């Protein structure tokens, strides 16, 4: 769709422009580097679900959730015990509760 003058100019330019010549050594180095980067990437980010094991970040999240749940359960038990001790009138119902009530 271009004009004939454009095609002539393009042909003249291609005739005098040398073709691209790549250095084989550089091409090999680029290949080695690409291979090494892919290996490192595969080691750092293993395919999820390849052996049906959760990814490390998911394991960490599950562990934190379990720890938080255990802390919450312990806090609820302690609060219930303190409340039961208050209701019964005995302050010694929960060992160590006096240390938590005092401030520095």
């Amino acid at each position: 769709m271009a004009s004939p003058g454009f095609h002539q100019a393009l042909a003249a330019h291609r005739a005098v422009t040398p073709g691209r010549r790549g250095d084989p050594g550089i091409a090999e180095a680029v290949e080695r580097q690409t291979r090494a980067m892919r290996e490192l990437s595969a080691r750092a980010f293993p395919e999820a679900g390849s052996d049906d094991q959760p990814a490390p970040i998911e394991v960490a999240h599950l562990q934190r959730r379990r720890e938080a749940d255990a802390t919450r359960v312990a806090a609820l038990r302690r609060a219930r015990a303190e409340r039961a001790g208050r209701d019964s009138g005995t302050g010694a119902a929960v060992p160590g509760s006096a240390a938590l009530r005092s401030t520095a």
Side-chain angles (χ1 to χ4, degrees), residues 18-24 26:
R20 291 187 179 176
R21 294 184 192 149
D23 185 2
I26 293 175

Side-chain angles (χ1 to χ4, degrees), residues 15-103:
V16 296
T17 304
R20 291 187 179 176
R21 294 184 192 149
D23 185 2
I26 293 175
E28 289 173 15
V30 168
E31 270 303 310
R32 283 193 311 269
Q33 186 178 18
T34 302
R35 240 179 290 127
M37 292 301 288
R38 285 188 181 150
E39 289 171 8
L40 288 172
S41 177
R43 222 178 313 155
F45 305 105
E47 289 291 325
S50 61
D51 53 357
D52 293 333
Q53 299 235 347
I57 192 75
E58 293 171 3
V59 172
H61 285 182
L62 288 173
Q63 181 65 25
R64 284 186 192 161
R65 190 173 299 133
R66 284 187 203 118
E67 291 171 358
D69 288 344
T71 302
R72 181 177 177 273
V73 167
L76 288 172
R77 284 183 185 152
R78 182 181 182 114
R80 287 179 187 139
E82 287 177 355
R83 187 177 307 127
R86 249 192 336 250
D87 291 346
S88 68
T90 61
V94 179
S97 62
L100 292 175
R101 290 185 188 144
S102 64
T103 59

